[in-house]
Structure formats: C-alpha cells, structure tokens
Amino acid sequence: MDSREAILERVRNALGRKLGQKPLPPPEPLLRVRYETADAKLTLFRAQLNGTLTVVPDAAAAGNAVEKLLDGQSAVASDHPFLQACGIPNIPGVTANPEDLRNTCATAGVGITSAYCLLAETGTIVLRACPQEPRLLSLLPPVHIAVVPLDRLLTNLDEMLSMTPRPVDSDSSAMVLITGPSRTGDIEQILVRGVHGPGAVHVVIVLGKTPPL
Amino acid sequence: MSAPDSAIRQTLANANLQLAIYSNTGRLKNHRSKAVAPDRFPEYQDLRTRAAAIKRHTLAFLDVYLLQLEHAVNDNGGKVIWASTGEEAADFIIQLAKDREANLIVKSKSMTTEEIHLNDRLAQHELETVETDLGEYILQLAGQRPFHILAPAIHMTRHDVAKVFNEKLGIEHDTVIENQAMTARRVLREKFLNAGIGITGANFLLADSGGVVIVENEGNARLTLSAPKIHVTVAGLEKLIPRARDLPVFLDLLGRSATGQPLTSYTSIVSGPRRNGELDGPEEFYVILLDAGRTKLLADPEMRESLQCIRCGACLNACPVYRKIGGHNYPWVYSGPIGKVITPQFQGVEKDPWLPFASSLCGACAEVCPVKIDIPGLLLKLRKEIVQANPEDRRYFRIWAWLMQRPGMYALAAKIGRALMGFNIGPLAAWRSERDLPAAPPKSFRDLWKQRKK
Amino acid sequence: MPRRAAIFVTCIVDQLFPNAGMAMVDVLERLGFEVEFRDAQTCCAQPAFNSGYQKEARAVARHFIDTFADAETIVVPSGSCTAMITHHYTDLFARDGQALERIRALTPKVFEFSQFLLGLPNLDALAARFPHKVTYHDSCHALRELGLKDAPRRLLGQVKDLELIEMEAAEECCGFGGTFSVKFAQISGAMARTKVDSILETGATHVVSLDSSCLMQLRGSLSRGGHKIETLHLAEVLASRG
C-alpha cells in the first residue's frame, strides 16, 4: 500500500470513519464585513499604514507623486494597466516590464506596482500574481511603491474574501498581504527593517474613476 | 530517562541567559496582552471559540479535507506528496534535487522540517541547504537548535551573533545589530537567486483552494517560494483548515498571540506553479503532507486537541517554567507547554516520563492559547498514563489515601509528620535545597478548634 | 441567607497554617455565621489527582463528598482546593453517574473564602484594620479557574489604613505546584525568586494571598533570601483589628 492510501486509511481509522462517508458541514465562516465610507477608509488606512501615504486627485498627479518619491533613484515598474494610465513608465529612471525581470529587480532601488486591493483596517497592500504583476517586483528592490485607485481600498480581509473567496485559482498562483516593511526582531528583539523584503513602503492612492477589478 | 538536572542547573545559574529568556518572553507576552485587551480587541474570546471549533471540525473530518486539498492543488498544477514518515519526505526532496540537479536549497523557517531532521538528511547527500530566517540562519551557522518556536535565537546576544558571523563567514567582528541583519540579507540574497529548490513549511493549508499560507515578517519565505524554480512545502496533516474564508479568524489570532501584531509583514497564499503568462514564481510546486505520528495523536480522542496548535508560541511566553529553563532543556524540537504535551505522544511516554510532571499546572498556557487547547488537562492525562505504566509512587499514595479516609489516623500521622519537619530527609531536603521551611506549629487547626470549643 | 457555614480548612491549613483557619473562623463569626467544623474532614485529594493516581484520589474525594454532602454551605481558605472540588471532581468521577450526581449537588455549595465573602451584604461589620504596605499574589487556581482577580483586591480595599501596591509579576506562578516544588526543586526555587524580586520592588512589608501553599513557598524563599517580609492569608488580614 502506498503512503497515500496508508495515511488516508490511518486517518479514517483514527476517526472511526469509512471511505466515502460524508462529513458534517463546517461551522459557518465568520466574515466581519464592515462597510465604511471612502473617507473613513482613507483615514483608517493612513493611520495603520507603516509607510507613507500620498492621496492624489487623478492619474497625472499620481505620476508626479511617484516621481517625487523616487527622488532620482532608478526603479522597475510592472506592466499593470493602471501604472500605464498614471504614466509611470514614462518617469525618468523607470524601467517598465523589463526583459530580464529578475536581474532588473535585483539591482533596482525601487519597485513600483499597482495592487489587487488595499485593506484599510490593517494598512495592507494586497498583491495578486498575474502576467502584469510579477512577484519579485515588490520583493527584491529595497523600496516598494504601490499606486492604487481609491475604489480598490477595502475595509478588511474579511471583505476581500467575501468578494474573492479563492485567493489563488486558475488565474493566479499567489496572493500576498503586505503589511508594512520587511522586519525582524530575531537578534535581541531589536527591530531591524528591510532584512529580505523592502525596508520602506509607499502608497499612492488615486481618486477618480478606474477600470473594474 | 530522568530530567536533565545538571543542564537545567546550568541554565538557571547563567544570569545572562536567564535575563535574555525572561525579558524577551516578557516583552512578547506584554505585546500579546496589549493586542488582545478587551478595549482593543473585543472579539478575542469569541474568535478563540470559533478557531477551536474550526480546528476540531477539520480534524474530525480530516480524510475529507486532505482529499479536497489534494484535488485543489492538482487543479492548480501542483502535486501532493504523501509522506508517512520524515524519511519519506526527505527522500522525496533528495530525489527531486538529484533529478533536477539542484544542489543549492533555500529554506524558510519550518518547525516541521526541524522535527524530521530534514537539513541533516539533505546534508548527507551533499545538498547545500541554507536556512534563510535570520534567527535560524544564525543557529545553522552556530550549529544549534532553536530555542523558541517563534524566536529561535532568542537566547543569543549581538556579541554571540558577531562571533558566529566572524567565525563562520569570515567577516569582521561587528556587534551592530542592523549591520548583522544586512550581512545576512546580502549573503542570503545570493542564495535565494541561485537556489534550485525553495522549501517552506505552512502555517495553514486551505482545503478548498489548495492554498499554502505562510505568515512572516522578514520576506525570506516570499523569496524562498518565489525565486527558485521549484517550491516544496512540508506540512503536517494538522495544518488544514476548510476554506480561505476561515483565514481571517486564524490570522487575527495568530499575529496577536505570537507577537502582538494584528498582521505580520507578509502573509502569502500560494498554490501551484506560475500560471500561464505569469513572469515569475516556481515552475514546479509540491506539497508534502506529513504524517510522522500525527495519525497516532488523531486516534486518541482525549489527546486529539493537541493537533489544534497553530504554533503561535504564546504558551511559551506565558509559561513560568519555560521562562526559566528555556527551549534547549526540552528533549524535542517543540518546547514549552505544547512541547510538553506532544513530545510524549510522538515519542512515547516512556522516553521522557519526567516531562509532563515538569509543570506547576498554573494554567497560564491554557489562558493564552488561541485555539483553546487545555494543556494542563492534557498534562494530567499524560501523568495518569505514565503512572499507570510505572507507578513508582503508588505505595506512598496508597498509604496517603488510607490515612486520608480515616480522620483519626490522618491527625495522628500528621502530628508525627509535623514532629519530623525539622529533619532533612527526602522531600524535606529537596524543599530546603531552595528555600526555608517554616517551623511546624505546635498545634494543628483541629487542636485549636477543640480548645476553643471548651 | 444561610446562617451556618461548614468550613473545609484543607490539610495544609489544618497542619501548617492553623492561624489562617482560625482567622477565617473569626471573620465568619463576625459576619454572623455559626461556624461548623466537621471533624471527619481531611483532604480534597488534589495531591493524588495531580500526580496521576486517580484511584487513590477518588477514594479520598469520596470521603470529602461523604463528609460534606449535607452541609448548607462550605467555605474553603484555598483557591486550589476549591477548584479541585468545583472543577475537577467531575473529571475524577467521569464514569460514575451516581458520584457525578452527588458532586453536582455539592459543588454549588462550595466557596472559596473571598468568593464567599463578596456575596455578603454586611462586610463593613468586619471593621478590619491593617496599617501596612501590602502586595497581593494571585494564586493560579483562584485566578484562572475560579476567576478571582478583583474579589480579593476589593476586600483588601475595604481594610482601613491598608496600602495595596501591585507587583509586576502578580499573576505569575510562585512555583509551588504541589509535588512540583520538590520534584523540580531547582525550577520551583527559581520561580519563587522571580516573585520575590517583584515583591521587593513594591516596597511592601506583607504579601497576601488566598492560598497557604503559595504563601509557604513565598515565605520560604523570602526567608532564605534574608528578607523580613511577612506572608499572610487574606483571612488573617480581614480578621486584623490593627
């Protein structure tokens, strides 16, 4: 008997269950979805974000805000249509959708992405892997900037999961909830930022209309 | 096997270590308290109840959820490997590494892989395995095992770290902690980008979506599961929860219980290799479901709740015994109160029969457990099992019970006992080795009561 | 309101800390109770239960149940013994339906001392006075199994001229734990010394608790460290007239 069968049989025996026996349904999931106004969410997000938040009126202003944040540093940007709409690839020093993604990310000073959504209650940026948003972009460079339309600002994870019950599926291999910079307290419990992931996080939220999720 | 008395004595006598253990666990304990305070987090007790119920349910129907997970992982293009033992898990990885010529492997923190001595096994086959969690990396260089489930190097100072880096990496002795972290970042970055396989554990496995959930602060797990071409997750059977929608309950509890953070820096949910069009991420994705004794625990309905553990470490930080003796005095990789409970179940109660008795049953652990494991209750059950097999004190308790049912005899025996209190015999000597014993009062309460009534 | 109160003094109070027992009697009498001491009483069986010797524990627990089954009210100067009876007797007799019935009838009548007092309307009749700096140790079973955090503090708050100073480690175990204190004497001693450090930081001259076992552990460690701090049961403070 191979291990798969052996383990399943041991599990069933341990539980006194038969092959194919139906389970009881699980307890109802608890999704504490709280609907807040955009203003309330912005206030909450600003307070919770471990990083800087810039709120801009439109896509053009977003481009300016990012240029200011870059302060002359080189950056790699994703191919996300929202970043294109904000003119990010045109900012001097920004390489959008590079040929050699890995090496460009490994050497860039800043990584610029959009986001799947933002979570106000915890100051979280949610990224979902897709052809336009590779994983390493928000991970290898020491600084991460996320440019996100306001209507992607949700209240909390519960709300996101009630909208997207499958964080990963045929469309996406990975979702990551980013709450603040990379950190460690492993040595003497002294906090150090930017150990492996970015040490600084900046979010630019753009007011005004946007394409659907 | 008896308790490691002399090792414990050394730990207790090491003032620096005592300070490190007590203050560091104290800090984590305080962070947790603040984070779950009723004014800050009023739903705490309700969430605990729910989390315990979800885990209990999942364990009760584990066969169903395991199959669901396998199906979902397969749908996502990944593969599930079933490992009855640690050897099987290691053998799979070794074969995979050989087949893919992946000689460099990076790992993020996983107690499960410590449990099965994965690194040692891989090393036997000339596969370079690098721990990437900062604390684990330091320990790997130093050749030590983790001191604490969550903060593995909690017992080391910056000077210890400087020494290790100097000796093992050949870099100049530097005690600035920020520099030490940046050294690790630099050295490990190269490993991440060149490794052929990334191995992680899992905090949770989502049965409905086939998701592997990894919670961290550093980013090393993200790199481990994103940079190399192959991602292997090693996870115990008990890591399953039914749905992604169950995650908020657990995430709300895990961060707060462990370090006081509502959410850690990164929570990754991954399943399967990169999808069509994705520019990065692994090309191969494996989830190794590990039994290694878990089905044995599952089979004991009284002890099964020990599998509810989400490895938050709160019980370690709350335990007055752990806060004195530290992780290395526990015989297995899992230390603290949960370690006391699962070690005898995995390794057999006869291996370290002293372990379940090394507790004052104060209950601090049960109070902080986010999934409501009744650790003191489980310890009592283990004690019962141990003395049934080896009743060394039975005759004393038989005599004690005989006396305690006969008040006259009890009073007489106690009177004699009080008279002997001045002597330094047996338990009296053990008591006096650490503190004074009061002088026996000349009269007992019953004597005084009789007098009073006259 | 029941006018009779049977006391279960506990074996440790009976043999080693009779003054705590007598103080409890004084307090109960002052509050208008007729105190009854049933001579047949011995032990709650906790030592055997905690050591895994269930059969022996059951024999002694049965004796307790027989002794007190028909009492109106039972007051106990110990958190751990009370919790043993109210929280663990059902575990001990899980398979004995008859015993469980008797236990369910008995346990609502069993009260830890401070628990009992706090339910009474005439506490100011105590007129206690204890002009000293006091710190309070939360004994584990009282705190975690009986939920007694505020009750003893409120009672201390009613004592004239008593200054209550909280110690940082109030809720940490003193290290007694029954046979743990001798089986793992080193660890137990180290735990006690941590409590002592915390006590010293308060500047208190007296340590008060609900459990004499804890007090014995703390007193032993204080004395070994050469400190002149006294340990008292809550009853002794409440019986004090200054």
Side-chain angles (χ1 to χ4, degrees):
Chain A
M1 200 197 286
D2 71 351
S3 274
R4 180 179 185 275
E5 285 317 307
I7 290 174
L8 285 167
E9 186 163 310
R10 279 197 295 273
V11 169
R12 282 191 291 262
N13 287 341
L15 300 171
R17 285 177 48 75
K18 294 191 199 55
L19 175 59
Q21 188 179 349
K22 282 210 179 315
L24 290 175
E28 274 301 300
L30 174 69
L31 291 173
R32 294 148 290 167
V33 184
R34 296 184 265 270
Y35 294 107
E36 307 271 5
T37 64
D39 273 339
K41 282 191 279 188
L42 269 175
T43 309
L44 202 47
F45 187 75
R46 187 186 291 279
Q48 294 304 316
L49 177 66
N50 197 341
T52 71
L53 172 65
T54 313
V55 182
V56 297
D58 55 38
N64 293 333
V66 171
E67 192 165 354
K68 229 167 119 196
L69 285 168
L70 286 182
D71 196 24
Q73 291 175 84
S74 70
V76 55
S78 78
D79 197 24
H80 199 280
F82 189 67
L83 293 187
Q84 287 171 13
C86 295
I88 304 300
N90 302 326
I91 298 172
V94 174
T95 312
N97 194 23
E99 268 298 310
D100 187 354
L101 178 69
R102 190 182 269 241
N103 278 326
T104 314
C105 289
T107 50
V110 181
I112 308 172
T113 67
S114 183
Y116 185 70
C117 66
L118 303 171
L119 306 177
E121 274 182 11
T122 47
T124 300
I125 303 165
V126 181
L127 297 182
R128 199 168 188 244
C130 60
Q132 294 84 28
E133 294 267 60
R135 305 179 186 196
L136 296 176
L137 235 151
S138 63
L139 185 49
L140 287 175
V143 176
H144 174 212
I145 300 176
V147 186
V148 193
L150 176 66
D151 63 9
R152 300 291 191 265
L153 177 57
L154 306 179
T155 309
N156 59 12
L157 180 62
D158 303 49
E159 186 182 349
M160 194 206 79
L161 285 172
S162 64
M163 289 164 53
T164 313
R166 297 279 171 106
V168 289
D169 57 21
S170 51
D171 288 336
S172 179
S173 65
M175 177 180 274
V176 62
L177 313 178
I178 298 171
T179 309
S182 147
R183 49 198 281 165
T184 183
D186 270 359
I187 305 172
E188 289 191 22
Q189 306 256 293
I190 303 286
L191 192 65
V192 177
R193 290 204 166 83
V195 197
H196 294 294
V201 172
H202 306 285
V203 179
V204 177
I205 292 183
V206 186
L207 309 174
K209 282 175 93 179
T210 40
L213 218 109
Chain B
M1 273 287 281
S2 55
D5 284 337
S6 90
I8 290 175
R9 183 169 302 122
Q10 269 180 22
T11 305
L12 293 175
N14 183 337
N16 289 334
L17 188 53
Q18 286 294 295
L19 184 61
I21 303 171
Y22 192 74
S23 61
N24 288 332
T25 50
R27 191 171 306 123
L28 290 170
K29 185 163 166 280
N30 290 337
H31 286 327
R32 176 204 158 269
S33 288
K34 287 199 189 100
V36 304
D39 50 354
R40 264 255 217 129
F41 193 49
E43 61 254 61
Y44 176 61
Q45 293 299 340
D46 180 53
L47 290 185
R48 287 180 79 208
T49 306
R50 286 175 187 272
I54 295 169
K55 277 283 178 178
R56 239 191 333 269
H57 168 87
T58 312
L59 291 170
F61 300 105
L62 193 60
D63 54 318
V64 170
Y65 289 111
L66 287 168
L67 288 171
Q68 224 179 70
L69 178 85
E70 181 186 52
H71 190 85
V73 169
N74 287 342
D75 271 358
N76 291 329
K79 196 156 189 285
V80 170
I81 309 296
W82 300 73
S84 287
T85 62
E87 284 98 348
E88 278 179 48
D91 285 344
F92 172 77
I93 295 171
I94 291 163
Q95 195 56 53
L96 183 65
K98 289 198 168 142
D99 288 346
R100 305 285 186 272
E101 288 172 19
N103 297 324
L104 176 60
I105 296 173
V106 287
K107 267 188 82 241
S108 71
K109 187 163 142 45
S110 161
M111 293 302 298
T112 310
T113 60
E114 304 267 357
E115 186 193 317
I116 64 174
H117 305 296
L118 182 64
N119 293 8
D120 289 343
R121 293 187 208 272
L122 296 178
Q124 284 166 19
H125 293 263
E126 282 157 18
L127 298 165
E128 185 192 346
T129 311
V130 183
E131 290 289 345
T132 62
D133 172 280
L134 180 59
E136 294 277 359
Y137 177 59
I138 296 166
L139 289 181
Q140 186 177 42
L141 291 176
Q144 287 186 37
R145 65 176 172 100
F147 202 84
H148 183 288
I149 282 175
L150 230 50
I154 203 170
H155 60 304
M156 295 180 87
T157 65
R158 66 194 76 182
H159 303 281
D160 296 325
V161 177
K163 189 157 173 285
V164 171
F165 278 4
N166 174 245
E167 280 171 16
K168 303 290 176 169
L169 298 175
I171 61 165
E172 238 181 82
H173 193 99
D174 185 348
T175 56
V176 177
I177 290 175
E178 173 130 10
N179 295 350
Q180 293 172 343
M182 291 305 120
T183 296
R185 180 192 166 96
R186 203 185 61 245
V187 171
L188 292 172
R189 184 55 66 97
E190 188 234 315
K191 306 285 182 190
F192 286 123
L193 294 175
N194 290 309
I197 299 178
I199 302 177
T200 66
N203 291 90
F204 304 101
L205 296 172
L206 307 175
D208 67 344
S209 30
V212 171
V213 182
I214 297 165
V215 161
E216 57 158 338
N217 275 315
E218 290 180 24
N220 62 306
R222 284 180 72 193
L223 278 168
T224 301
L225 57 83
S226 292
K229 282 211 174 110
I230 301 172
H231 173 209
V232 178
T233 300
V234 182
L237 304 175
E238 81 285 7
K239 295 291 170 76
L240 268 105
I241 61 176
R243 307 156 293 214
R245 280 167 297 150
D246 293 314
L247 211 42
V249 168
F250 287 97
L251 290 180
D252 271 1
L253 290 170
L254 179 56
R256 288 179 173 84
S257 301
T259 54
Q261 299 170 279
L263 268 184
T264 55
S265 296
Y266 307 115
T267 303
S268 298
I269 307 168
V270 295
S271 187
R274 60 172 82 168
R275 304 292 187 268
N276 253 335
E278 283 180 21
L279 298 174
D280 57 16
E283 290 166 20
E284 293 179 65
F285 180 90
Y286 302 93
V287 178
I288 302 181
L289 289 175
L290 182 71
D291 181 352
R294 285 150 176 79
T295 46
K296 203 171 80 168
L297 267 80
L298 196 63
D300 186 339
E302 286 193 327
M303 306 298 296
R304 187 180 298 164
E305 67 183 89
S306 10
L307 290 173
Q308 290 170 203
C309 177
I310 62 174
R311 304 281 189 263
C312 69
C315 59
L316 274 71
N317 301 330
C319 177
V321 171
Y322 177 87
R323 296 180 76 194
K324 289 271 157 282
I325 68 176
H328 287 173
N329 283 308
Y330 293 75
W332 204 31
V333 297
Y334 300 105
S335 56
I338 190 62
K340 273 200 182 94
V341 161
I342 64 177
T343 302
Q345 295 181 75
F346 275 94
Q347 311 220 306
V349 293
E350 64 293 335
K351 186 166 170 289
D352 292 286
W354 60 273
L355 193 56
F357 290 90
S359 165
S360 63
L361 299 177
C362 78
C365 50
E367 198 177 33
V368 302
C369 177
V371 287
K372 288 188 152 177
I373 301 172
D374 178 18
I375 295 174
L378 295 176
L379 288 172
L380 284 170
K381 293 196 172 99
L382 287 168
R383 291 180 184 190
K384 186 169 89 171
E385 198 187 320
I386 290 168
V387 304
Q388 259 164 12
N390 194 9
E392 34 179 70
D393 292 335
R394 168 143 281 146
R395 55 207 145 118
Y396 301 119
F397 281 103
R398 279 229 171 96
I399 297 167
W400 169 89
W402 189 89
L403 290 170
M404 290 302 178
Q405 294 171 79
R406 294 160 179 76
M409 295 303 302
Y410 146 76
L412 179 61
K415 198 168 177 164
I416 297 169
R418 284 206 324 278
L420 296 174
M421 257 173 76
F423 293 94
N424 236 12
I425 39 174
L428 297 174
W431 179 276
R432 286 197 177 92
S433 69
E434 292 286 330
R435 67 240 106 164
D436 295 340
L437 197 58
K443 290 186 158 55
S444 66
F445 176 88
R446 337 171 86 82
D447 296 335
L448 294 177
W449 177 265
K450 277 203 193 80
Q451 267 184 318
R452 201 181 197 251
K453 289 295 139 183
K454 284 204 178 88
Chain C
M1 189 182 79
R3 301 293 305 169
R4 289 191 98 201
I7 52 173
F8 172 56
V9 294
T10 78
C11 57
I12 187 173
V13 165
D14 182 21
Q15 296 300 325
L16 297 180
F17 300 98
N19 294 336
M22 292 312 286
M24 182 170 82
V25 173
D26 276 348
V27 168
L28 291 172
E29 286 180 344
R30 218 177 287 167
L31 292 170
F33 285 92
E34 188 191 321
V35 176
E36 182 200 342
F37 175 77
R38 297 184 175 202
D39 207 55
Q41 64 184 267
T42 56
C43 176
C44 66
Q46 190 179 69
F49 178 70
N50 283 355
S51 297
Y53 292 98
Q54 311 294 44
K55 198 163 136 243
E56 290 72 13
R58 269 191 288 274
V60 174
R62 256 185 249 276
H63 179 81
F64 176 90
I65 297 167
D66 290 339
T67 305
F68 286 99
D70 65 347
E72 271 177 54
T73 301
I74 302 135
V75 187
V76 186
S78 161
S80 70
C81 303
T82 306
M84 176 67 203
I85 299 157
T86 59
H87 284 57
H88 296 290
Y89 269 13
T90 45
D91 296 334
L92 249 190
F93 292 94
R95 293 202 205 98
D96 186 336
Q98 239 186 10
L100 284 177
E101 254 185 67
R102 297 183 75 204
I103 293 166
R104 287 196 191 109
L106 176 62
T107 51
K109 302 188 285 186
V110 178
F111 298 91
E112 182 277 332
F113 174 66
S114 69
Q115 231 178 4
F116 184 69
L117 287 192
L118 223 54
L120 302 175
N122 60 335
L123 281 177
D124 30 331
L126 272 183
R129 181 171 179 265
F130 194 76
H132 301 284
K133 273 193 180 155
V134 164
T135 191
Y136 178 77
H137 158 70
D138 286 288
S139 43
C140 296
H141 296 278
L143 176 67
R144 298 193 179 94
E145 289 188 299
L146 303 179
L148 295 168
K149 175 84 182 172
D150 285 337
R153 287 170 169 82
R154 271 193 278 158
L155 291 167
L156 287 172
Q158 295 190 2
V159 176
K160 204 155 169 281
D161 299 331
L162 183 151
E163 188 189 341
L164 178 62
I165 308 166
E166 289 290 345
M167 62 167 129
E168 182 74 36
E171 292 188 1
E172 284 180 32
C173 179
C174 67
F176 180 72
T179 53
F180 173 81
S181 61
V182 293
K183 279 204 166 120
F184 294 91
Q186 305 181 73
I187 306 174
S188 173
M191 286 162 72
R193 284 189 290 279
T194 295
K195 291 290 293 201
V196 165
D197 286 343
S198 198
I199 291 167
L200 292 174
E201 266 170 35
T202 64
T205 50
H206 294 77
V207 184
V208 174
S209 184
L210 300 177
D211 276 77
S212 301
S213 45
C214 303
L215 294 169
M216 181 167 75
Q217 164 88 340
L218 293 173
R219 159 180 289 168
S221 193
L222 283 162
S223 149
R224 180 60 60 89
H227 308 291
K228 296 277 181 287
I229 298 169
E230 304 264 315
T231 56
L232 301 165
H233 190 277
L234 177 70
E236 295 175 275
V237 175
L238 297 180
S240 189
R241 284 278 162 87

